[in-house]
């Protein structure tokens, strides 16, 4: 028997002659050794990766920080975009002379863009890789903001929302997948990533509220265009259009191929585990029940988040008698969102992320009931900000749970689908709100939000607690 070295600490045995009576027995033993070796490699990969990261050179640590900051820049732009619509919605409705149903078409077209981007990401990521796809998403937003800034006729204006949604879905999927792949304290970084989203959503209404009162209200989108251009250039310079599955290593038995992520390799992080299933990653992901439960949970969550930030301004003006500065309530909500994602990290770790999400959901429902039933403008504004605080940690908690319960080789693709599909909620639920409001009035917003929060909690209860057993 001779041995051939395939990679460090791994050997493959080759028998020059195998007798007919020993063929099955030897091959079974050989397969057993391979499976044990693969299982050991998968279980030890995270621990080994963390120890390797501690030995990173200073240059690699700096590069890791720059890459993470750049990914956060994409999420800032996403937050900026989601925080824009609420303060501008009454002005858009007035300028174009639209009722609640028709003005809600901005959310319909955004939803079409989000869903198209979620499906396209699964193909584009495998075909072109992380670096090119995330830049494509940012470039789409540049085009969209250029269209919207011109205040073109309404059909062209809402087309910009569709292009914007497509680009946001790509960036959201890639940014979440990238941070989830990190080995160095990914839970905290996921919280920070989405806190930066909250920072974007906090700052945008401050600017949009001012533009909503000016003759050239659509010039707000020029500010958005500038941020999108900076984001595009940053992504190109930092990630250099590098593919995510760039350098493949040597074949081991039964197509056990390890792909090195180019961008992660730059910061000294070793490759993760690789699956042995010959079926495509697309089909593997869509066979997992937990992926679909998490995708619908995120869809409802994001929908609730953007509905509160978007329609709440109209509710405060029409039902509570708020003035032209009511747009700042949207900033209060997204400011709470940002604070919750960072300030409650220690609570998440102490209580347990799965358990604490139920507590946050119950608090959010109670606070929403206060906004609905207590006719106080100030009290409602404070409650809305606190709702932002308790809703804030839910998204990163769901993403962290995804990493824990799914096979490591499916995490990036699954998070890409969950984030992209879930982003459609930011268009679907606000549109449904507009349709209902056109028939019953904007006061229907509060019971609708309470119902969606309850539904979201039920979906979370259905998500498995632990990873499914494989093999």
């Amino acid at each position: 028997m001779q041995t051939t070295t395939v990679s460090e600490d791994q050997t493959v045995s080759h028998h020059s002659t195998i007798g007919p009576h020993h063929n099955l027995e030897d091959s079974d033993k050989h397969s057993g050794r391979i499976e044990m070796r693969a299982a050991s490699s998968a279980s030890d990969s995270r621990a080994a990766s963390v120890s390797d990261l501690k030995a990173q050179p200073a240059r690699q640590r700096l590069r890791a920080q720059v890459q993470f900051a750049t990914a956060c820049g994409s999420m800032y732009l996403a937050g900026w975009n989601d925080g824009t619509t609420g303060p501008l919605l009454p002005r858009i409705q007035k300028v174009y002379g639209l009722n609640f149903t028709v003005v809600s078409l901005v959310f319909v077209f955004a939803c079409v863009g989000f869903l198209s981007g979620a499906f396209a990401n699964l193909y584009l990521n495998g075909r072109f890789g992380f670096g090119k796809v995330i830049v494509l998403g940012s470039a789409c937003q540049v085009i969209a903001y250029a269209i919207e800034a011109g205040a073109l006729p309404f059909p062209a204006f809402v087309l910009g929302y569709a292009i914007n949604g497509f680009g946001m879905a790509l960036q959201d999927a890639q940014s979440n997948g990238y941070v989830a792949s990190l080995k160095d304290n990914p839970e905290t970084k996921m919280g920070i990533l989405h806190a930066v989203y909250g920072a974007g959503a906090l700052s945008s209404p401050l600017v949009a509220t001012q533009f909503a009162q000016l003759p050239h209200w659509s010039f707000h989108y020029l500010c958005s265009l500038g941020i999108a251009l900076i984001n595009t250039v940053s992504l190109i310079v930092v990630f250099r259009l590098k593919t995510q599955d760039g350098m493949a290593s040597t074949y081991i038995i039964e197509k056990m191929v390890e792909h090195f992520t180019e961008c992660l390799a730059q910061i000294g992080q070793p490759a993760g585990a690789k699956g042995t299933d010959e079926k495509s990653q697309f089909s593997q992901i869509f066979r997992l029940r937990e992926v679909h439960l998490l995708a619908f949970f995120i869809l409802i969550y994001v929908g609730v988040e953007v509905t509160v930030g978007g329609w709440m301004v109209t509710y405060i003006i029409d039902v509570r008698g708020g003035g032209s500065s009511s747009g700042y309530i949207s900033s209060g909500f997204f400011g709470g969102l940002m604070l919750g994602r960072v300030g409650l990290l220690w609570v998440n770790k102490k209580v347990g992320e799965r358990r604490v999400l139920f507590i946050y959901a119950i608090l959010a429902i109670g606070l929403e009931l206060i906004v609905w039933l207590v006719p106080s403008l100030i009290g409602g504004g404070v409650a809305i900000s606190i709702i932002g605080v308790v809703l804030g940690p839910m998204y990163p908690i769901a993403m962290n749970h995804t990493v824990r319960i799914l096979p490591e080789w499916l995490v990036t693709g699954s998070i890409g689908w969950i984030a992209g599909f879930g982003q459609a909620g930011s268009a679907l639920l606000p549109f449904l709100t507009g349709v209902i409001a056109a028939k019953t009035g904007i006061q229907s917003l509060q019971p609708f939000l309470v119902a969606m929060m309850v539904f979201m909690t039920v979906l979370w209860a259905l998500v498995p607690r632990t990873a499914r057993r494989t093999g």
Side-chain angles (χ1 to χ4, degrees):
M1 182 181 72
Q2 66 183 79
T3 59
T4 304
T5 301
V6 177
S7 60
E8 186 177 0
D9 296 330
Q10 290 181 319
T11 59
V12 179
S13 299
H14 299 281
H15 296 266
S16 51
T17 58
I18 303 178
H21 299 291
H22 297 84
N23 187 26
L24 181 60
E25 181 182 352
D26 288 350
S27 63
D28 287 344
K29 290 180 180 178
H30 184 62
S31 299
R33 287 196 298 271
I34 295 290
E35 290 174 3
M36 289 176 64
R37 202 171 284 167
S40 176
S41 175
S43 62
D44 295 341
S45 61
R46 288 187 180 273
S49 298
V50 172
S51 63
D52 290 342
L53 287 168
K54 292 179 180 178
Q56 279 182 323
R59 184 176 179 180
Q60 287 184 339
R61 287 197 298 271
L62 176 61
R63 184 171 289 167
Q65 293 170 0
V66 172
Q67 287 187 4
F68 175 66
T70 306
C72 287
S74 289
M75 293 304 294
Y76 180 89
L77 178 60
W80 175 278
N81 181 83
D82 287 347
T84 290
T85 306
L88 290 180
L89 199 60
R91 185 60 188 272
I92 294 171
Q93 191 174 3
K94 181 179 179 181
V95 168
Y96 290 106
L98 308 173
N99 60 27
F100 285 125
T101 301
V102 178
V103 77
S104 295
L105 286 175
V106 298
F107 300 116
V108 173
F109 276 76
C111 183
V112 171
F114 289 135
L115 289 176
S116 301
F119 279 106
N121 178 71
L122 291 172
Y123 168 76
L124 293 173
N125 190 53
R127 181 71 176 82
F128 300 105
F130 166 76
K132 292 183 178 68
V133 174
I134 197 170
V135 169
L136 173 62
S138 187
C140 286
Q141 290 197 271
V142 171
I143 296 170
Y145 291 135
I147 294 172
E148 293 165 352
L152 301 177
F154 191 68
F157 184 77
V158 294
L159 177 62
Y161 271 80
I163 299 172
N164 200 342
F166 184 87
M168 279 185 62
L170 294 182
Q171 289 188 91
D172 198 34
Q174 296 297 324
S175 297
N176 279 285
Y178 178 77
V179 174
S181 299
L182 297 175
K183 308 295 184 184
D184 184 17
N185 207 0
E187 290 85 1
T188 299
K189 288 183 177 178
M190 188 67 77
I192 294 172
L193 179 74
H194 290 282
V196 174
Y197 167 93
L202 163 66
S203 54
S204 176
L206 299 175
V207 179
T209 299
Q210 297 300 317
F211 275 100
Q213 303 172 46
L214 299 177
H216 298 293
W217 60 274
S218 65
F219 282 9
H220 170 79
Y221 294 104
L222 291 177
C223 299
S224 304
L225 177 62
I227 297 173
L229 283 170
I230 294 171
N231 182 56
T232 304
V233 173
S234 299
L235 291 170
I236 293 173
V237 171
V238 173
F239 293 114
R240 302 177 185 177
L241 306 178
K242 290 186 178 293
T243 59
Q244 194 160 20
D245 292 322
M247 301 179 294
S249 68
T250 311
Y251 267 91
I252 308 179
I253 297 297
E254 306 207 358
K255 298 182 180 179
M256 294 177 65
V257 186
E258 293 189 359
H259 294 285
F260 291 94
T261 304
E262 289 183 348
C263 294
L264 295 177
Q266 287 184 338
I267 62 175
Q269 179 171 306
K274 176 71 177 175
T276 59
D277 197 330
E278 293 185 4
K279 292 189 172 97
S280 69
Q281 188 182 78
F282 187 92
S283 64
Q284 290 182 64
I285 289 172
F286 278 87
R287 285 183 318 188
L288 296 175
R289 172 176 168 268
E290 45 266 58
V291 168
H292 300 299
L293 287 171
L294 285 162
F296 277 100
F297 171 82
I298 292 295
L299 182 139
I300 300 299
Y301 168 82
V302 173
V304 167
E305 173 189 297
V306 177
T307 300
V308 173
W311 281 109
M312 193 64 76
V313 176
T314 304
Y315 175 85
I316 292 297
I317 292 173
D318 291 358
V319 178
R320 297 291 184 239
S324 59
S325 297
S326 297
Y328 295 125
I329 288 179
S330 183
S331 282
F333 170 74
F334 285 115
L337 202 79
M338 176 187 67
L339 291 175
R341 286 175 174 173
V342 176
L344 295 178
L345 280 171
W346 67 276
V347 179
N348 303 343
K349 292 180 179 179
K350 187 171 183 178
V351 179
E353 289 191 329
R354 178 178 170 80
R355 186 182 300 110
V356 80
L357 193 143
F358 288 111
I359 298 173
Y360 293 150
I362 293 170
L363 290 174
I365 292 168
L367 289 163
E368 197 62 50
L369 288 171
I370 291 175
V371 178
W372 178 11
L373 301 174
V374 178
S376 169
L377 180 61
I378 297 176
V382 173
I384 291 167
S385 297
I386 301 175
I387 289 171
V389 174
V390 295
L391 284 181
M394 292 185 182
Y395 194 109
I397 284 174
M399 290 299 170
N400 292 333
H401 194 63
T402 302
V403 176
R404 284 191 289 269
I405 67 173
L406 295 183
E408 187 176 353
W409 56 89
L410 295 179
V411 164
T412 300
S414 297
I415 283 184
W417 167 249
I418 292 167
F421 180 81
Q423 196 64 37
S426 67
L428 180 61
L429 265 63
F431 169 70
L432 292 177
T433 301
V435 172
I436 296 170
K439 294 182 178 180
T440 62
I442 192 61
Q443 61 268 20
S444 61
L445 173 65
Q446 302 308 326
F448 178 72
L449 285 173
V450 170
M452 289 300 99
M453 287 179 180
V454 172
F455 182 40
M456 176 180 72
T457 309
V458 171
L459 286 173
W460 182 249
L462 296 175
V463 175
R465 295 172 178 268
T466 57
R468 67 162 56 201
R469 294 181 180 180
T470 57

